[in-house]
Amino acid sequence: MDFKFRIGTKVIFKKGCVKENKEEFPKYGNKCIIVTGRKSGKASGALDDVIDVLQELKIDYTVFDGVLNNPTLENVKEGGEAAAQFGADFVVGIGGGSPLDAAKAVAVLATNDIEPIDLYKNIYDNAPLPILAIPTTAGTGSEVTPYSILTRKDIKTKKSFANEGIFPKVAFMDARYTESMPYSVTVNTAIDALSHAVEGYMSKRSTELSDVLAKESIQIFGQCIDALVNKEIDFNCREKLLYMSMLAGMVISQTGTTMMHSLGYMLTYFKDVPHGKANGLLMKEYFKFNYEAAKDKVDNIMKLLNLKDVNEFGKVMDKLLSKDIELTEEEYSRYASIAVGQKSMTYNPRSVSEEDLVNVLKRSLT
Ligand code: NAP
Ligand code: FE
């Protein structure tokens, strides 16, 4: 056996967990910046719960609710400045992956006088502020990962930075906060979580222990397929999705992602396709492309999902996602040429050329 395993996050998973565990907050100081999106904090009810707790405990707070979807370097710079100006001791991130990833960047920028581009150097003079994470989507697993994925206009893609210091100290996981998600966000984010479990399992970096989590996560997604397709998503299903997305986050914390994410970033960056949907549109062809190199694993994934084969998987994705993107020949080539250079490509089970990526994109979108 050969593996390392680390999750730097205390997970508290229960309906009502923020208020029931309020003693977690003052452990990290008495001034806090809440980092959230325009709607997600309020719509989910998480922002109100956190503010109630902070007021009760007399913790001084400010709210930065300007996080954009797929946050940019400029966007997190603003948050970092707000945190430094306020003199925050810790950060509470509330939202989907966008606010949680922004909270991580803000935590580093608050204590280090650096430009956001220097986040990628991964050496910081001062430790980031502690982060408490409250997911309101069930998808990215960002509450248990050391990654922050930011939009980079300079290299025309999204790119993550990773640092052990940005593992959230605590993840408060309450599936009630995910109930306000619109149907499309529920589906897209669930598929993002599936893509993490799948890619982590198929990756050359997969390990004995990460596979245990990945297989469990994939199987739980399988239990939710009917509810997602039939739009009958009850609280039990919400909890399952939140749990499987957390497991999948733990998987990619060890393995990273592979070709599906690198290529998906192109559709998000250039065509504004939501992150999970971008991965979902590519997933069937990802399985087909990698089939010969990882036949046993692909077959096992289908078994765990309780589906006959990859074609049946494709039919499920067709029911959940609309194929509404058209690319020109020039776009196919350009996206492939950018994506092929990403490091995560090297961990794909089968080696990938630019031409392969064009083919996968074409088969996925037409
Ligand atoms: P998101 O971009 O955070 O949110 C998508 C949309 O859903 C936003 O409009 C958001 O509103 C809304 N929303 C979120 N929760 C809601 C709720 N409970 N009720 C109503 N509306 C809600 O989506 P996401 O898929 O969770 O995150 C995507 C980002 O995470 C991407 O940048 C992706 O690259 C990144 N990611 C990170 C990791 C990691 O390990 N760190 C892994 C995978 C993906 P607001 O605009 O108000 O927030
Ligand atoms: Fe993802």
Side-chain angles (χ1 to χ4, degrees):
M1 290 199 187
D2 177 9
F3 67 84
K4 295 178 185 158
F5 189 89
R6 165 131 204 244
I7 294 293
T9 304
K10 174 176 185 174
V11 174
I12 305 181
F13 195 116
K14 191 183 175 194
K15 187 174 169 178
C17 61
V18 167
K19 291 198 166 180
E20 264 186 39
N21 295 276
K22 49 178 173 283
E23 70 282 359
E24 292 295 332
F25 289 79
K27 287 183 188 170
Y28 300 98
N30 55 26
K31 284 190 99 171
C32 135
I33 182 163
I34 299 173
V35 175
T36 187
R38 296 253 150 81
K39 305 183 304 269
S40 49
K42 287 191 196 77
S44 63
L47 182 61
D48 282 348
D49 283 358
V50 168
I51 288 177
D52 281 355
V53 164
L54 296 176
Q55 285 177 341
E56 191 187 325
L57 296 170
K58 302 197 167 26
I59 294 173
D60 207 3
Y61 67 91
T62 185
V63 181
F64 177 73
D65 62 2
V67 179
L68 308 169
N69 290 355
N70 306 300
T72 57
L73 298 185
E74 297 74 22
N75 193 204
V76 298
K77 182 174 176 149
E78 231 183 289
E81 284 168 356
Q85 219 164 41
F86 183 65
D89 298 321
F90 64 105
V91 181
V92 177
I94 303 176
S98 297
L100 297 188
D101 285 4
K104 292 171 176 177
V106 166
V108 180
L109 295 173
T111 54
N112 293 278
D113 191 13
I114 55 173
E115 286 302 314
I117 190 82
D118 297 325
L119 290 167
Y120 291 86
K121 287 188 183 154
N122 210 14
I123 302 167
Y124 316 126
D125 287 341
N126 305 307
L129 295 179
I131 301 156
L132 312 189
I134 309 181
T136 67
T137 63
T140 69
S142 181
E143 67 277 4
V144 292
T145 74
Y147 308 128
S148 168
I149 300 163
L150 303 173
T151 298
R152 293 272 305 264
K153 292 182 188 155
D154 56 330
I155 51 172
K156 293 195 165 43
T157 186
K158 301 184 62 170
K159 191 173 161 78
S160 64
F161 73 93
N163 188 285
E164 295 238 334
I166 60 170
F167 263 121
K169 296 285 181 243
V170 184
F172 293 98
M173 310 204 50
D174 182 340
R176 279 182 324 170
Y177 298 148
T178 66
E179 286 179 325
S180 54
M181 271 191 286
Y183 175 71
S184 63
V185 179
T186 302
V187 166
N188 295 340
T189 53
I191 291 174
D192 183 29
L194 176 67
S195 74
H196 298 154
V198 160
E199 282 193 284
Y201 183 51
M202 304 261 290
S203 168
K204 284 186 180 158
R205 294 173 71 196
S206 79
T207 69
E208 288 84 351
L209 186 46
S210 65
D211 282 356
V212 171
L213 302 173
K215 286 188 277 189
E216 183 69 5
S217 178
I218 293 165
Q219 193 185 18
I220 297 171
F221 182 91
Q223 293 168 17
C224 299
I225 289 177
D226 286 348
L228 288 170
V229 169
N230 299 326
K231 304 189 179 180
E232 288 167 354
I233 306 159
D234 62 9
F235 182 75
N236 180 35
C237 176
R238 294 270 176 211
E239 278 207 321
K240 283 185 176 175
L241 291 172
L242 189 61
Y243 179 59
M244 64 80 53
S245 71
M246 178 204 73
L247 293 176
M250 291 176 174
V251 172
I252 55 168
S253 289
Q254 320 306 318
T255 64
T257 54
T258 64
M259 149 189 180
M260 197 170 14
H261 267 72
S262 313
L263 204 50
Y265 290 155
M266 296 295 97
L267 301 180
T268 301
Y269 185 87
F270 290 104
K271 297 286 172 186
D272 220 16
V273 180
H275 172 64
K277 176 174 175 177
N279 293 343
L281 290 174
L282 301 170
M283 206 175 314
K284 179 177 116 184
E285 292 301 327
Y286 162 87
F287 285 133
K288 289 196 163 178
F289 176 76
N290 286 302
Y291 194 70
E292 285 312 316
K295 183 176 179 306
D296 291 349
K297 285 196 167 178
V298 176
D299 287 344
N300 201 25
I301 288 169
M302 296 309 140
K303 214 180 288 167
L304 289 164
L305 291 172
N306 205 15
L307 297 172
K308 200 166 77 219
D309 54 24
V310 173
N311 285 329
E312 199 185 344
F313 175 83
K315 286 183 191 147
V316 171
M317 288 295 118
D318 288 345
K319 284 184 196 158
L320 293 173
L321 302 171
S322 55
K323 277 190 194 173
D324 45 9
I325 312 139
E326 278 183 36
L327 303 187
T328 62
E329 286 297 324
E330 189 275 328
E331 285 170 323
Y332 282 120
S333 316
R334 183 155 44 91
Y335 297 0
S337 75
I338 298 175
V340 78
Q342 300 209 349
K343 192 168 165 222
S344 60
M345 261 330 156
T346 55
Y347 304 122
N348 201 62
R350 181 178 157 191
S351 69
V352 189
S353 70
E354 224 171 291
E355 197 188 337
D356 294 331
L357 292 178
V358 170
N359 289 334
V360 167
L361 268 176
K362 280 191 177 167
R363 291 192 185 121
S364 298
L365 301 181
T366 52

